[in-house]
Amino acid sequence: MPLDDRMSTASPTPPSIPKVDGVLTMFYYADLAAAERWYEEVIGFEKILRLDGLALFRVHASSHLALVGDGAGSQQPIAGSNKGAILSIQTSELQQWHQRLFAHQAPGTGHGLHIGCDGLTIEFKVRDPEGYTVEFFEWID
């Protein structure tokens, strides 16, 4: 049966939402090795897979960050600091994250913690070696 025929005979009630087992964010790098070292040593994420052109880090139980090297994958690195993407990490240990990244002299930690999201969060942002923004935040009760 052609796809158009299946679409037109669909029931008026949409099907239930399928299960999501995890989330994977992909950032693209000209210098994969430098980014890989930064996420492993400065941020401290656990590297769970290393392939040619790819490093995969666990951010949370079912949330991962994939670092993809130039020429590997479907996208290409974008020069500059406006990547059109941000890794936003919610944490109840915001001060500890700031202290860790400040000790590693991560760009952006010198600005300290500030109120964000129209007063809904406390946050700070850092930049990784090729300019991706990594935001750490905590909701204000």
Side-chain angles (χ1 to χ4, degrees):
M1 175 183 295
L3 182 59
D4 291 340
D5 291 344
R6 285 181 282 163
M7 299 288 283
S8 64
T9 60
S11 67
T13 304
S16 63
I17 298 171
K19 178 182 171 188
V20 174
D21 295 320
V23 175
L24 176 71
T25 300
M26 302 177 91
F27 287 171
Y28 292 80
Y29 294 90
D31 185 349
L32 177 59
E36 186 176 351
R37 278 190 307 278
W38 192 82
Y39 279 95
E40 192 168 27
E41 297 169 9
V42 175
I43 297 288
F45 287 161
E46 174 191 8
K47 185 171 20 176
I48 60 171
L49 179 66
R50 180 62 168 99
L51 301 171
D52 188 34
L54 173 77
L56 184 62
F57 290 87
R58 184 182 331 275
V59 176
H60 189 263
S62 60
S63 300
H64 299 85
L65 175 64
L67 311 182
V68 184
D70 193 11
S74 62
Q75 306 296 309
Q76 296 300 314
I78 298 172
S81 61
N82 186 359
K83 304 290 190 182
I86 182 173
L87 179 62
S88 190
I89 299 170
Q90 179 183 343
T91 179
S92 61
E93 297 185 350
L94 188 64
Q95 185 66 40
Q96 293 90 326
W97 272 109
H98 187 266
Q99 289 170 350
R100 174 186 173 81
L101 297 174
F102 185 80
H104 280 281
Q105 300 177 348
T109 55
H111 301 293
L113 303 178
H114 61 274
I115 301 297
C117 198
D118 293 326
L120 299 175
T121 64
I122 301 172
E123 62 185 47
F124 73 96
K125 295 177 175 83
V126 297
R127 296 263 188 203
D128 81 1
E130 288 193 26
Y132 280 102
T133 299
V134 180
E135 170 188 63
F136 292 82
F137 78 94
E138 184 174 10
W139 293 107
I140 296 174
D141 293 327

